[in-house]
Amino acid sequence: INLSAEIESLKNPQTLSPTPRLDELREENAKLKYRLNILKRSLQEDDTDCSKSMMNINQRLQEVFGEAIRASCPELDNPPLAVTPNQQAKFGDYQCNSAMAMAQMLKAKGIKVNPREIAEKIIQNLSDNELIEKTEIAGPGFINIHLKRTFVSKLLSNLLINGVQPPPLASRKKVVVDFSSPNIAKEMHVGHLRSTIIGDSMCRLFEFLGYDVLRLNHVGDWGTQFGMLIAHLQDKFPDYLTISPPIRDLQAFYKESKKRFDEEEDFKKRAYQCVVKLQSKEPDFIKGWNLICDVSRREFQKVYNCLDIQIIERGESYYQDKMTEVVKEFEEKGLVEIDEGRKIVFVPGQPIPLTIVKSDGGYTYDTSDLAALRQRIFDEKADIIIYVTDSGQGTHFQVVFAAAQLIGWYNPQVTRVEHAGFGVVLGEDKKKFKTRSGDTVRLMDLLDEGLKRSMDKLKDKERDKVLTPEELTKAQSSVAFGCIKYADLSHNRINDYVFSFDKMLDDRGNTAAYLLYAFTRIRSIARLANIAEATLRKAAETTEVILDHEKEWKLGKCILRFPEILQKILDDLLLHTLCDYLYELATTFTEFYDSCYCVEKDRQTGEVVKVNMWRMLLCEATAAIMAKGFDILGITPVQRM
């Protein structure tokens, strides 16, 4: 009886006397509801901000399908999510290939299900969304996805109105990119060219995506060779402290001092004494060292100016005082072993130990690279650290990173530390790229040769007859340096690549010359049709981008794949993906332009009779994406070529 009375009283809450605890909870609930509404409002405002950014369609599809996959198979932990662009248009625009792998996982759990049934379930669980027109199941369980044309059209209008905006960043991370890194008193060679071009392009990508990027030049500006150079400087220019020595050719100066170091015992002894005095920071020796570094810097800067490279020098000398702390820290953690007078660190599972102090008490590359990594993690507070050097240094960095994890400097789950290695440059004979006499190729000679050949190419095409001298010079450097950069970046960096001026200046196929000409042509369409920029801007806001023709549809989708491409490069740091995409975009544009009239002219008078404005907008959108792609690759297009 008591129980049924209690149930009745609970059914009728008016009869309940409110407790202070209940009042507290109600008040708390009201506050939470209020905060929830504020959050919802700010999220909506954020969404309107985000709508200015380009949407990553693939990522959005992954969100939609991810939810559906989890709902259709709750018994699977971490079910596979695979959404990719469809290679053949007749099968739709994207494809979800998860059902087959899910069937395998269920089979392993002893549950036998047909992948097509899983695909059916996934489709049933798809939530209402703005981008999918329809889905179909094909073959053993592929889900073909067709996008809504109105949705794609809306995204293109958004791009035209707001420009190429990067997808929104969850948080602004700090990125350190260590690249270029030549040695003082030595010429920059082709290996430095690769590191410089690849590293600069990675920085440009991170900068465009909104990261805080520190571009570092870890130059070799310390070590035994400076004793040798200073000793030679004292002999050759005894008054170097008062009169700046006229060292023009540092390479020759280095060779002379190296010869003396190898052949003259007295000179060798003096060179070692100079190293000690330099390391003790004696002013006269620091001045000699600075003079030699300055001559080198001026030479490096010529290369950086040609290639439009921004970089902050922070050489090995910068980390000298920090190395002592590194050695001390490894000793305190009990990680150092003594081996024939050397201090070494064995990292479990690594093929070689690190030598952090030589038997003569000096430090090594291992020590300076550990000190640099420690500084970048703790002082720079970097979230991502990338080293762009040749693949030959892969093992060295692998051991350095493993040692840093062993001592607890960073957790690879939180901080991304990566070596982006690259292959060697080969000559057309498939051997290491050298001059006929077997010397390394000076970078300035290589760049000058590029300029000469690009001018020859422009004159062959009789561009000198239509361009002003100033336009011709701009086109010359745009083609020369654009082709040198693109030839490097369009190859998978991990592979060796053959350096050939003839191939890189060819205006057919996947080359910078072809893309630069294609871009200039697209840019000229509106000009030749006498359409003012203001008219195009107005049209972007008022004209729907129609995608009825199959070539319009193909081009529209290709333009919008740009954020997906950038996301892929962010994950694997392989820039050739962007080159392949730009080439695909240019060829897709050509197909569209050949099939779809943008401007219709009178055959007799040549006057413009009709402008198909939505197609002009597709031209504009293509050019905007190409321009941003060029910018990330460090290539400067020109208005006329």
Side-chain angles (χ1 to χ4, degrees):
I1 293 164
N2 283 352
L3 191 61
S4 44
E6 202 172 319
I7 290 168
E8 280 309 308
S9 73
L10 282 171
K11 278 182 185 170
N12 185 5
Q14 273 75 30
T15 61
L16 283 175
S17 56
T19 65
R21 178 77 186 121
L22 189 63
D23 287 344
E24 268 174 45
L25 287 169
R26 279 182 181 151
E27 197 179 326
E28 187 64 27
N29 194 28
K31 281 181 188 169
L32 285 170
K33 275 186 178 166
Y34 177 69
R35 282 178 62 190
L36 184 66
N37 285 331
I38 287 177
L39 279 170
K40 276 183 180 164
R41 268 210 306 278
S42 72
L43 275 172
Q44 280 166 350
E45 283 161 19
D46 268 5
D47 273 355
T48 53
D49 270 0
C50 293
S51 69
K52 287 186 178 178
S53 309
M54 282 192 80
M55 179 189 280
N56 183 331
I57 296 175
N58 196 328
Q59 216 165 32
R60 181 76 192 97
L61 286 170
Q62 285 186 22
E63 286 164 15
V64 171
F65 273 85
E67 278 175 30
I69 285 167
R70 283 189 294 277
S72 56
C73 262
E75 63 270 43
L76 285 183
D77 297 329
N78 221 352
L81 173 61
V83 178
T84 52
N86 237 331
Q87 296 310 310
Q88 286 175 288
K90 62 179 176 186
F91 297 130
D93 308 309
Y94 284 82
Q95 196 173 64
C96 174
N97 308 334
S98 299
M100 287 75 73
M102 287 164 73
Q104 287 296 324
M105 285 172 82
L106 288 166
K107 192 176 170 188
K109 283 177 174 270
I111 308 164
K112 201 165 185 304
V113 193
N114 183 328
R116 284 185 72 99
E117 284 175 43
I118 297 175
E120 284 284 359
K121 259 181 154 180
I122 293 171
I123 289 173
Q124 282 161 15
N125 280 297
L126 285 174
S127 57
D128 284 345
N129 60 76
E130 75 283 28
L131 71 167
I132 300 172
E133 178 71 45
K134 62 170 180 172
T135 51
E136 300 154 340
I137 298 170
F142 298 114
I143 302 173
N144 289 329
I145 305 159
H146 297 260
L147 297 175
K148 284 183 183 164
R149 298 206 174 206
T150 50
F151 171 74
V152 171
S153 171
K154 200 172 86 186
L155 289 185
L156 289 166
S157 294
N158 175 38
L159 161 67
L160 286 155
I161 293 165
N162 298 308
V164 186
Q165 301 291 342
L169 264 190
S171 61
R172 191 162 188 252
K173 291 185 172 174
K174 174 84 176 267
V175 184
V176 172
V177 184
D178 174 328
F179 69 106
S180 196
S181 312
N183 286 315
I184 295 287
K186 290 184 183 172
E187 292 283 358
M188 280 182 85
H189 57 72
V190 172
H192 298 127
L193 180 67
R194 289 212 77 183
S195 174
T196 305
I197 290 170
I198 296 166
D200 174 58
S201 190
M202 281 180 191
C203 291
R204 286 167 179 271
L205 172 66
F206 281 112
E207 284 157 356
F208 169 63
L209 293 172
Y211 290 81
D212 174 14
V213 181
L214 177 61
R215 302 154 156 259
L216 286 187
N217 201 0
H218 189 83
V219 296
D221 65 350
W222 203 250
T224 324
Q225 76 271 29
F226 282 96
M228 170 182 98
L229 289 161
I230 292 168
H232 190 50
L233 182 73
Q234 289 170 336
D235 292 349
K236 208 165 175 192
F237 306 106
D239 51 2
Y240 76 92
L241 290 170
T242 49
I243 300 163
S244 193
I247 309 172
R248 289 282 169 273
D249 190 346
L250 201 55
Q251 189 79 343
F253 186 81
Y254 182 89
K255 280 180 179 168
E256 287 166 19
S257 63
K258 180 82 175 87
K259 191 170 184 296
R260 290 185 68 193
F261 185 81
D262 291 342
E263 293 172 6
E264 301 171 28
E265 203 50 45
D266 285 354
F267 180 80
K268 193 175 194 168
K269 273 186 197 154
R270 245 181 63 231
Y272 280 126
Q273 287 162 358
C274 288
V275 174
V276 174
K277 289 178 175 170
L278 175 64
Q279 287 174 343
S280 321
K281 309 254 169 76
E282 286 193 24
D284 290 0
F285 290 83
I286 290 287
K287 175 146 193 202
W289 172 72
N290 272 324
L291 281 168
I292 292 162
C293 290
D294 284 344
V295 177
S296 260
R297 275 188 202 111
R298 281 197 294 277
E299 289 305 307
F300 299 160
Q301 199 53 48
K302 286 179 192 169
V303 172
Y304 296 146
N305 289 346
C306 281
L307 297 173
D308 186 24
I309 306 291
Q310 307 296 320
I311 194 163
I312 292 166
E313 186 185 303
R314 201 179 274 175
E316 288 171 5
S317 59
Y318 179 87
Y319 303 100
Q320 287 312 298
D321 301 338
K322 297 171 171 45
M323 294 196 217
T324 320
E325 296 163 36
V326 166
V327 175
K328 195 168 145 216
E329 197 174 329
F330 273 89
E331 285 179 326
E332 282 170 357
K333 294 266 169 78
L335 298 170
V336 175
E337 293 179 28
I338 306 294
D339 176 67
E340 295 178 355
R342 299 177 307 151
K343 291 184 179 178
I344 60 173
V345 175
F346 276 103
V347 185
Q350 293 305 320
I352 50 170
L354 293 173
T355 301
I356 57 170
V357 182
K358 293 188 291 191
S359 52
D360 64 3
Y363 297 134
T364 66
Y365 279 130
D366 295 349
T367 337
S368 75
D369 279 337
L370 282 167
L373 181 53
R374 185 174 182 268
Q375 193 275 338
R376 290 161 190 181
I377 292 166
F378 294 109
D379 299 356
E380 300 302 340
K381 299 187 170 39
D383 301 288
I384 301 171
I385 305 169
I386 296 164
Y387 293 78
V388 186
T389 74
D390 65 275
S391 297
Q393 295 185 48
T395 306
H396 162 73
F397 281 114
Q398 178 191 316
V399 183
V400 168
F401 301 162
Q405 286 168 50
L406 176 70
I407 201 165
W409 288 349
Y410 77 96
N411 171 356
Q413 250 60 63
V414 179
T415 309
R416 178 180 178 185
V417 181
E418 202 166 324
H419 174 234
F422 53 80
V424 294
V425 181
L426 305 172
E428 294 191 60
D429 56 0
K430 302 283 193 326
K431 292 184 182 148
K432 221 167 175 187
F433 191 57
K434 287 197 160 43
T435 62
R436 284 218 175 98
S437 60
D439 290 335
T440 50
V441 179
R442 288 180 72 243
L443 272 201
M444 275 320 293
D445 293 346
L446 188 87
L447 297 176
D448 288 341
E449 176 73 8
L451 284 168
K452 184 182 150 306
R453 292 201 188 208
S454 106
M455 183 56 87
D456 292 346
K457 185 88 183 168
L458 288 162
K459 284 181 174 170
D460 281 351
K461 288 177 145 298
E462 301 193 327
R463 305 313 294 155
D464 52 326
K465 294 192 169 78
V466 289
L467 299 177
T468 66
E470 191 192 0
E471 285 174 334
L472 188 65
T473 311
K474 271 190 178 160
Q476 176 193 20
S477 57
S478 170
V479 171
F481 304 140
C483 286
I484 288 170
K485 286 182 178 186
Y486 193 86
D488 195 319
L489 295 167
S490 60
H491 289 83
N492 184 329
R493 66 172 158 77
I494 294 161
N495 303 333
D496 297 347
Y497 99 95
V498 175
F499 189 96
S500 157
F501 273 120
D502 291 339
K503 271 194 196 143
M504 65 177 72
L505 288 163
D506 195 342
D507 51 15
R508 292 159 306 191
N510 189 3
T511 65
Y514 167 74
L515 287 174
L516 285 164
Y517 286 122
F519 176 76
T520 309
R521 199 176 103 231
I522 298 168
R523 273 273 184 252
S524 69
I525 294 167
R527 194 175 64 237
L528 295 172
N530 283 328
I531 300 169
E533 214 164 293
T535 312
L536 280 168
R537 270 205 306 276
K538 187 93 186 89
E541 290 169 15
T542 54
T543 308
E544 185 194 352
V545 181
I546 303 165
L547 302 165
D548 290 346
H549 193 288
E550 60 161 326
K551 299 299 180 191
E552 292 169 339
W553 179 235
K554 187 178 176 183
L555 178 60
K557 287 185 300 174
C558 188
I559 289 167
L560 295 177
R561 275 202 8 251
F562 188 56
E564 295 170 30
I565 299 297
L566 298 189
Q567 183 56 51
K568 186 180 181 311
I569 303 167
L570 205 57
D571 296 339
D572 62 21
L573 303 176
L574 296 171
L575 288 148
H576 68 276
T577 310
L578 177 55
C579 300
D580 292 346
Y581 166 75
L582 288 175
Y583 180 58
E584 184 191 336
L585 182 60
T587 51
T588 306
F589 177 83
T590 304
E591 284 177 29
F592 152 79
Y593 195 65
D594 289 347
S595 310
C596 305
Y597 286 117
C598 296
V599 179
E600 295 174 39
K601 293 183 176 181
D602 184 291
R603 292 250 167 109
Q604 264 69 47
T605 62
E607 273 183 51
V608 174
V609 183
K610 185 183 176 194
V611 173
N612 293 324
M613 196 51 92
W614 79 93
R615 287 179 179 163
M616 292 304 300
L617 291 175
L618 276 170
C619 297
E620 283 300 294
T622 306
I625 295 288
M626 281 185 85
K628 183 46 72 184
F630 283 150
D631 190 41
I632 291 169
L633 297 172
I635 293 170
T636 312
V638 284
Q639 284 303 311
R640 294 180 66 206
M641 265 176 74

